[in-house]
Amino acid sequence: MAAYEFQKNSGIIGKSKAIQDIVDIAMQIAKSDISVLLYGESGVGKEVFAQAIHQFSDRANKRIVNVNCGAIPEGLLESELFGHKKGSFTGATTDRKGYFEIADNGTLFLDEIAEMPLTTQVKLLRVLETKEFMPVGSETVKKVNVRIIAAANKDLQKEVDKKNFRKDLYFRLKAVTLNIPALRERREDITLLANHFLKIYSEHNNIPGLHITIDALDLLTQYHWPGNVRELKNTIETAAALSRTGIIDVNSFKNLLSELDDEDDIRHLPVHLNKSPESLDREMIYRALIEIKKDLMELKQMAYKNIEDNHKFAEPKSDEAEEIMSLAEAEKAVIVKTMEYTRYNKRRAAQILDVSERTLYRKLRDYGIE
């Protein structure tokens, strides 16, 4: 099968050399049962490549089961993967099949595998080596025939060095490694992707005649796309939904691209900085945090003055207590601002804040942020 047909049938959009090289390798390994490890930033399309490899494998007539290891609480991940027996733990009211059993004779796609707990990694390695597992609470060994495709946005070798990931599992998974490039590293594909997403939106919503101008495409090509292909897709769809004429121009993206939202004129320039998208986003959030802190202090001063004028309460005597309260409020405010910036994408917000998704969920709950 030609690479063009492979891309067309699997939904892989791109003419850049980086994408063509990955497509060539994906076509070669699709028919085998070898494990595949996909690297890439969030939003680059790792799941699309996993689907393509499965679709052109001999397992295509069976299921591919997608599992986000970072989104499942640690205490439940083992049960989700391997299933459980009735009564094996509180809430286990019936027997339940795990994802391995559901994906038998098919493919199991383990996304964000770097977030998998070490105890679960041990059991995953056993399944890969022996094709056997035991459901939680069971004493019966089950056989399974599953192809594993794993994905990570962290360097697993560095996670191994930090003792966060098992070396033996890492070597078992990385039989074939594909590095999916960030969108800013294949800018020649942006126009293709933008037109593709606009066409799909037009067809799904029965809105003919949508058109994007050359100037708008030039703007999109220069933007750094911290959210990669996922962000581009969402941006195109939003611009199309807000368009009254069907013509998507530069002004259509004025409030949609974060780089254009900053009042600093330097941020308006399409300059590529030698920083990761996460560090760029954190820098932006930290700048916002400073502004939030200033606003909080001004509000406190106004509140204390009002209290003093009305003689209802005494102004706090402890500067230390005031500072602790300010930091707590500032942390809540920066989390809220980050959530708004990522359009309430918790995974992306956790990456920008440099915390795990579990930590972010806990912070949201503690601060009562919905």
Side-chain angles (χ1 to χ4, degrees), residues 61 166 199:
N61 61 335
R166 291 183 61 92
K199 178 183 177 183

Side-chain angles (χ1 to χ4, degrees), residues 25-26 28-36 50 52-59 63-65 100 103-110 128 131 144-150 176:
I25 297 174
Q28 293 178 39
I29 64 175
K31 294 295 182 181
S32 71
D33 279 340
I34 196 168
S35 298
V36 182
I53 292 171
H54 170 76
Q55 182 179 343
F56 290 93
S57 72
D58 293 333
R59 299 171 180 264
R63 297 183 62 176
I64 177 171
V65 178
F100 266 96
D104 193 19
N105 294 314
T107 302
L108 187 62
F109 175 52
L110 299 175
L128 294 178
K131 297 185 177 181
V144 70
N145 179 10
V146 172
R147 182 185 192 172
I148 296 294
I149 301 177
V176 174

Side-chain angles (χ1 to χ4, degrees), residues 207-259:
I207 307 176
L210 290 177
H211 173 71
I212 185 167
T213 67
I214 295 177
D215 288 343
L217 288 172
D218 288 341
L219 173 67
L220 298 181
T221 302
Q222 294 300 318
Y223 182 60
H224 65 279
W225 297 111
N228 292 293
V229 178
R230 183 184 296 119
E231 183 184 3
L232 174 60
K233 179 177 183 293
N234 291 338
T235 301
I236 292 294
E237 291 177 348
T238 303
L242 296 177
S243 175
R244 296 181 179 179
T245 63
I247 303 298
I248 317 284
D249 57 17
V250 170
N251 291 327
S252 301
F253 300 105
K254 184 176 181 181
N255 298 318
L256 300 181
L257 303 181
S258 60
E259 191 171 354

Side-chain angles (χ1 to χ4, degrees), residues 334-346:
V334 79
I335 290 175
V336 171
K337 189 172 185 66
T338 306
M339 293 295 292
E340 292 174 347
Y341 170 72
T342 61
R343 298 172 186 167
Y344 302 92
N345 184 324
K346 295 185 180 65

